[in-house]
Amino acid sequence: MMSTGYAMADAGSSAITGAVGTFKGYIEPVRNLLYVIAAVVSIIGAFNVFYKMNNGDQDVKKTIMMTIGGCAALVAMAVALPKFFGY
């Protein structure tokens, strides 16, 4: 009965080790995806700022700050992702 308990614990340990390895394989693609999303946000934000400047809107500064803040947050998440999960 004791050997069955050890065998089950060993199987659980190997399953967790396999899951960790699989999870670490996803960190780099997710980081790249966050960089791509930040690039798309910056391009759309640039067009939005350009449109607002040409139309004479009053909230151009707010739009610029929101675009920069969004891009900075996405890049910060991409940098912190591996450190957060111990990679």
Side-chain angles (χ1 to χ4, degrees):
M1 186 137 171
M2 290 294 276
S3 64
T4 306
Y6 289 129
M8 291 177 77
D10 188 41
S13 175
S14 64
I16 290 173
T17 303
V20 168
T22 303
F23 180 75
K24 285 186 177 184
Y26 286 117
I27 288 179
E28 193 64 32
V30 170
R31 183 193 305 181
N32 291 336
L33 180 65
L34 286 172
Y35 286 141
V36 168
I37 293 171
V40 169
V41 166
S42 67
I43 290 169
I44 291 173
F47 282 120
N48 196 9
V49 168
F50 178 75
Y51 178 75
K52 287 185 182 238
M53 288 176 85
N54 281 341
N55 287 337
D57 287 345
Q58 297 298 319
D59 61 345
V60 174
K61 189 185 295 185
K62 177 182 171 186
T63 305
I64 292 170
M65 294 311 243
M66 286 177 53
T67 302
I68 292 173
C71 291
L74 285 167
V75 169
M77 284 188 278
V79 169
L81 180 73
K83 292 170 180 45
F84 183 73
F85 289 107
Y87 178 64

